[in-house]
Amino acid sequence: MRGVYIHVPFCKSICTYCDFCKMYKNDDLIKKYLKKLSFEVEENYLNDVIKTIYIGGGTPSCLSKNELKSLFKITKKIKLSKNYEFTFECNINDINENLLMFLKENNVNRLSIGVESFNEKLLKIMGRKNTDVAKKIKLAKSYFSNINVDLIYGLNNETMDDLDDDLKNFLKLDVPHISIYCLILEDNTILKINNYQELDSDIERQMYDRIRKVLRKNDYIHYEISNFCKKNYHSRHNMIYWNNEEYYGFGLGAGGFINNIRYENTRSINNYLKGKIRLEEEKLDEKTNMENEMILGLRKINGVSRKKFYKKYHKNIEEVFDVSKLNKNNNNYYISKKYIYVENSILTDFIDKN
């Protein structure tokens, strides 16, 4: 069974990393966008049973009640399996009882909440101001047991003491899933425009190692480069990506993988509203599919299953790739935890040699 990603690229406050939010903050535009999104789903969804839905952005929690009703009319077109996972992204400041009740009533069973940091100095750099975080998370936990929170690290002027304080506060939230992100300066963002300097890469690596150590010490399983969870709380939707499985991508700038075709939607709101939705698509040959299997699968701490690879492609991994730089156990090839932080350089070398 496939997954569904729905992109809602609008915020009613300007964030630091989403160009969509800066350019298209407009209630009338949101209404038009949701109408076109509904059309896209009707035209492209193949009426199959879906195991995961993920609504992200942007911040869909910023939508008004009527806008949310329009959004969830769209999701009701999608057939969900009995054991589904339905994630909704929230800004911490948008959380309130009415929103949580509405989400619960509309099949959502997992929240992903952008806490980012507790440090006022760092939040100011990101253009954010979080209020009553512990109180909001406690309220969310009264409705949902499956909750992820995002932690951003690697900001310039951030110290190891700052990171330790953040980790203590994140652990106090007692949620089953934590995603970590090192700040990356994207083009056309506030920080990039203001010539914000990234943190030294050696310090970033030290911070990553500190996070891993602290979270593992507190019973979080490190199951993917940037993700940690308590037992049985891994993100099933994200595992679809890393297992190279098929998924729909609906909305502006969304990507998908359906019937062996990888596609990307336009990032132009004007083209999207005119119905020029698809930017590009590629029919994948077997070699490319196998490469993707490795590139995506090696993001997982346990790596790529040799048995599953053979079941998919009827070939042994060793017949296709030079795996000499990878670690191996009885069933899996994987990147040593010692080198997982520099995974991209290893994969580049890995693919270039094959």
Side-chain angles (χ1 to χ4, degrees), residues 87-207:
T87 304
F88 187 87
E89 279 192 359
C90 290
N91 184 303
I92 187 70
N93 296 316
D94 292 331
I95 292 176
N96 59 58
E97 195 127 24
N98 289 334
L99 174 65
L100 296 170
M101 287 176 63
F102 177 85
L103 297 177
K104 193 83 171 178
E105 290 165 359
N106 284 276
N107 297 323
V108 172
N109 58 15
R110 183 177 185 269
L111 299 181
S112 183
I113 303 173
V115 174
E116 322 301 7
S117 176
F118 283 81
N119 187 303
E120 289 187 13
K121 173 186 70 175
L122 303 180
L123 288 169
K124 186 176 181 180
I125 292 172
M126 291 185 278
R128 299 175 63 100
K129 186 177 181 180
N130 293 350
T131 56
D132 299 322
V133 173
K135 183 178 179 181
K136 295 285 183 89
I137 296 296
K138 183 179 180 181
L139 178 61
K141 287 166 66 177
S142 70
Y143 285 87
F144 296 91
S145 60
N146 196 353
I147 295 175
N148 168 68
V149 291
D150 293 341
L151 181 156
I152 289 183
Y153 72 98
L155 283 81
N156 201 2
N157 299 322
E158 182 178 9
T159 67
M160 203 62 77
D161 286 342
D162 290 333
L163 178 62
D164 287 339
D165 287 341
D166 256 349
L167 286 169
K168 287 176 186 176
N169 284 314
F170 270 79
L171 289 170
K172 286 178 184 177
L173 297 177
D174 190 27
V175 293
H177 196 285
I178 298 176
S179 297
I180 66 170
Y181 301 96
C182 185
L183 181 69
I184 297 175
L185 298 184
E186 302 286 357
D187 290 339
N188 302 317
T189 60
I190 292 172
L191 293 181
K192 188 83 169 185
I193 291 168
N194 291 337
N195 295 316
Y196 181 81
Q197 298 300 308
E198 293 180 318
L199 197 64
D200 180 81
S201 59
D202 289 337
I203 299 176
E204 287 179 1
R205 170 63 188 266
Q206 292 170 24
M207 288 184 168

Side-chain angles (χ1 to χ4, degrees), residues 234-246:
H234 62 280
S235 168
R236 289 167 53 201
H237 181 80
N238 286 345
M239 289 298 287
I240 289 175
Y241 303 148
W242 302 320
N243 288 330
N244 198 30
E245 297 173 8
E246 293 194 341

